[in-house]
Amino acid sequence: MQRSKVAENKLLATVLIVLGAFGFLTILHRLCCYRFEYDAEFSPVDYGRFNILSFFTIQSNIFVYIYLICAGLAAFGVKGAEKVGHDPLIGALATTYILVTGVVYTAGIPMGFTPPFEWYDAYHAMSSFNQVFYHMIIPPVMLVLWFFPFTDRTAGRGRLWIFAVYPLVYSLFSIVRGAVGNMHFYPYPFYRPEFIWELFGGGSEMNAAGAYALMASVLAAGMLLFAGIGRLMIFINEKSVARSFALPEYVREAKVCGNGAAAPGGRI
């Protein structure tokens, strides 16, 4: 396995470690400083301080922070960290999940699916900053980083299904938890059958079976989205590796000519 200059850049590695550690601190801050504020639309029930861990946003960000920290530590010679930070499939998964997180959240802002940002005191300013950090800063950072591979390894094209496994398990768990749990908590409105029926049912009376059938179609489309973005990440990875590790033409010619032989044009 050949490492790139990016993988050995100590300054970049430090930035990645700091960014990942800071991300974990924002989650810890949210857990330690949690307080419930009633809101009829977005927060009608107090689900507890640890319920934040139920959101795909937080889980995908945690995945990214682990990846960033491991990628940074690998540059300092931590061998165990290379298994995560320099694995292109893990990087593709982390980038795919965080991009979906960012796209879904930002798409929901104009539709009124997300709470408004509030900056009038330290607590609400930090809460709003966290939302911006999780959804609008980390996703583009990961996308840009993905164009600069750490090694000459590629993620491989034959495992597109793997990009949909975790989101599917997460979605099914969230739907069942919301349906049978005591507080009927759904982390996102599209997991709630009433929301799906209202969206696609044409204004007719609620039909549970029909709602779940529609939800199955929505889930299938969502899994295709994950697989599609995952395929795009693999494509970017392949092109980036080819660009970063491609030998100049005259070096390839010299290799073909053999040791000590002059390549065309006198270059060796």
Side-chain angles (χ1 to χ4, degrees), residues 57 60-61 64 93-102 134 138-139 142:
T57 287
S60 60
N61 270 270
V64 166
L93 288 167
T95 307
T96 297
Y97 295 160
I98 201 67
L99 285 179
V100 173
T101 293
Y134 299 148
I138 291 297
M142 281 297 292

Side-chain angles (χ1 to χ4, degrees), residues 174-191:
S174 298
I175 293 169
V176 172
R177 178 192 178 191
V180 304
N182 292 333
M183 293 188 287
H184 299 290
F185 170 76
Y186 294 96
Y188 301 101
F190 43 79
Y191 290 144

Side-chain angles (χ1 to χ4, degrees), residues 202-214:
S204 57
E205 184 179 354
M206 169 67 183
N207 182 292
Y212 281 109
L214 289 169

Side-chain angles (χ1 to χ4, degrees), residues 103-212:
V103 168
V104 172
Y105 183 87
T106 52
I109 292 176
M111 294 186 285
F113 293 157
T114 61
F117 298 131
E118 299 176 331
W119 308 94
Y120 55 85
D121 62 18
Y123 176 82
H124 292 90
M126 186 63 187
S127 178
S128 296
F129 169 78
N130 286 347
Q131 297 306 314
V132 173
F133 184 75
Y134 299 148
H135 300 100
M136 302 176 190
I137 295 178
I138 291 297
V141 165
M142 281 297 292
L143 181 60
V144 171
L145 186 65
W146 191 240
F147 281 88
F148 300 92
F150 294 123
T151 72
D152 59 352
R153 296 169 56 195
T154 58
R157 302 183 183 185
R159 294 178 286 181
L160 284 182
W161 57 270
I162 202 170
F163 289 90
V165 172
Y166 176 70
L168 179 60
V169 172
Y170 171 84
S171 297
L172 294 176
F173 173 80
S174 298
I175 293 169
V176 172
R177 178 192 178 191
V180 304
N182 292 333
M183 293 188 287
H184 299 290
F185 170 76
Y186 294 96
Y188 301 101
F190 43 79
Y191 290 144
R192 188 164 52 85
E194 293 82 3
F195 174 83
I196 293 295
W197 187 257
E198 182 180 347
L199 197 62
F200 298 106
S204 57
E205 184 179 354
M206 169 67 183
N207 182 292
Y212 281 109

